Amino acid sequence: MSLKSIVREMKDGIGNISRRGTERKHWSNRTRSHIVPDVALSDPIEQGQWANLPPELLLDIIRRVEESEASWPARSAFLFCASVCKSWREITKEIVKTPEECGRLTFPISLKQRGPRESPIQCFIKRDRANSVYRLYFGMTPSEDERDKLLLSAKKIRRATSTDFVISFVADDFSRASNMYAGKLRSNFLGTKFSIHDCQPPSDAAIQQPGRLSRRFHAKQVSPRVPACNYRVATISYELNVLRTRGPRRMHSAMHSIPLSSIQEGGSAPTPKSFPQSFDEKSFSGPLAIAKESAMDISSSGISRSAVTATATATSQQLLVLKNKAPRWHEQLQCWCLNFKGRVTVASVKNFQLVAAVDPSHNIPVAEQEKVILQFGKIGKDIFTMDYRYPLSAFQAFAICLSSFDTKPACE
C-alpha cells in the first residue's frame, strides 16, 4: 500500500469516527482554518485498525508523511496522523521539531516557540477595521482563494485609561476564560508604553514570582486547563515625538524572557515544549525566572545604557533589548527609507525593522547586530507583512506589531 493510500484511508477513518461524536463541527472548523490544538481530549479517540501497528513501522510512516508534507495546506495530512489514536499522537509529537530547528509551524505550541535562526518565517496581518480585529496568517501574501492558514488573532478593546489587544488562537473567541486565550498586549493612556503578557511561562521550567503575574479570575472558578494568570514577558516603549519634530517613530522592546546571551555564539533562549496542563496555587510561589519590572528602565525619551545592560534578578543574565533600525533620508524621494527586500510596498508610519540594541562591550558580531529580527510593513489597504526569526516567537512578534496599530498622539 502506498504512503498516499495510507494517509487517505486514515482521513476516511477519522471522518467516520468524528461523525459518530458530537465534536464533528468543532474539529472540522479547526482543521480547516487553524492549527490543531495541542491539548489532550477529554475522551480518548476510538481505537481503530491503525492503532496496533508495530512501533518501528508506525514511526517510519509518520516520519515520511512529515517530510513529504512540509507546507500548508498539505501539512494538514500530517496532523491527521496525530488524530488517529494516542500512540500515533505521541509519536507525532516526538517527531515534530521546534521552528528554531526546522523552520516549520505545526502545533499551536509552535507559535510560542522561537523562530528559525537563518531564514525568517513570513506571515501577514489582515486588519478588520469594523470589528477592531487583527488576524495573523502564515504565508508571504494573501492567497486568491482566501484559504490562508490562520495562526493568531487579536481584538482591540479600548478602556478608560488603556487599550488591550486580547490575543487568541482562533478567529472568533476572545474570552480570557477560554482555553483558546493566548495572551494580551496592554498600553498606557498615551500609547507610548506597552506590556506583553503571555498565558504561560516562557519555558516549561520557568514559573514567575507573584509580583510579575496577575490573575484574571480565581483559579478555582475555571477549568484546570485554563491558565489563571498572565506572565509579563516584554515591554515596548515609543519615544515622545510631538508634531514629528524628531523624524519617524522610535521604539525599544525589552524582552524579559530572552537573555542577551541568546544572540551570542552558542547561545540559546528558553522555549516551552508544551502547554501547561494545570495552574495551581504552587504556580504563584515558585522561583523567579523572568526579570522584574524594575530591572528595566525604559523612558519615553529614549533608552539608557543601564537599560541595555540591565540584568534579570534571578538568573543574573542581561536581557535582550530590541530597537528599531534607523531609516535613511532619501534626497530624491524626500522621505525616510528602509530596505525591506520587497516585503513592504506602501509607505506608512507603522513600518519598522527591529535589531538588537547592544553595547560594544558585549562582543556581539557586527553581522548579528545588523540582523533584522522582526520587520513589519504595509503592502495594501489593511494588509501588512510580518517576518520574524530567532529569538522571537510568533506570539511575541505579533504582539509587538500590534503595538504599531494603536493610536499614539504623543509620538506623531
Side-chain angles (χ1 to χ4, degrees), residues 65-138:
V65 174
E66 197 273 339
E67 292 174 353
S68 62
E69 311 295 356
S71 59
W72 296 94
R75 194 161 178 77
S76 60
F78 176 66
L79 294 184
F80 278 108
C81 296
S83 304
V84 173
C85 60
K86 183 177 180 180
S87 59
W88 282 62
R89 183 170 183 81
E90 292 302 321
I91 292 182
T92 301
K93 292 171 63 177
E94 181 180 333
I95 291 175
V96 172
K97 298 180 180 179
T98 65
E100 179 183 350
E101 298 171 312
C102 67
R104 300 172 184 172
L105 299 174
T106 306
F107 294 112
I109 192 61
S110 302
L111 304 176
K112 297 293 186 76
Q113 296 173 334
R114 312 301 170 189
R117 291 177 179 263
E118 301 302 328
S119 300
I121 293 181
Q122 297 178 323
C123 311
F124 64 91
I125 298 173
K126 284 186 177 181
R127 175 174 57 182
D128 181 354
R129 290 176 180 266
N131 299 307
S132 298
V133 172
Y134 306 83
R135 295 185 175 92
L136 176 67
Y137 295 89
F138 177 77

Side-chain angles (χ1 to χ4, degrees), residues 313-327:
T313 303
T315 59
S316 298
Q317 289 182 323
Q318 295 170 327
L319 302 182
L320 175 66
V321 176
L322 305 178
K323 66 177 182 178
N324 65 305
K325 191 173 184 179

Side-chain angles (χ1 to χ4, degrees), residues 207-222:
I207 298 295
Q208 207 169 13
Q209 199 179 35
R212 294 273 57 77
L213 59 82
S214 61
R215 299 194 191 199
R216 293 178 282 125
F217 29 70
H218 197 278
K220 295 181 179 180
Q221 295 177 347
V222 297

Side-chain angles (χ1 to χ4, degrees), residues 248-249 324-330 335-344 348 350-355 372 374-376:
R249 290 178 178 176
N324 65 305
K325 191 173 184 179
R328 63 178 180 85
W329 179 257
H330 197 291
C335 64
W336 296 97
C337 296
L338 277 173
N339 182 13
F340 289 95
K341 298 183 178 179
R343 288 287 287 154
V344 178
S348 173
K350 297 177 177 63
N351 300 347
F352 67 81
Q353 291 179 327
L354 293 186
V355 296
V372 176
L374 170 64
Q375 75 172 20
F376 169 80

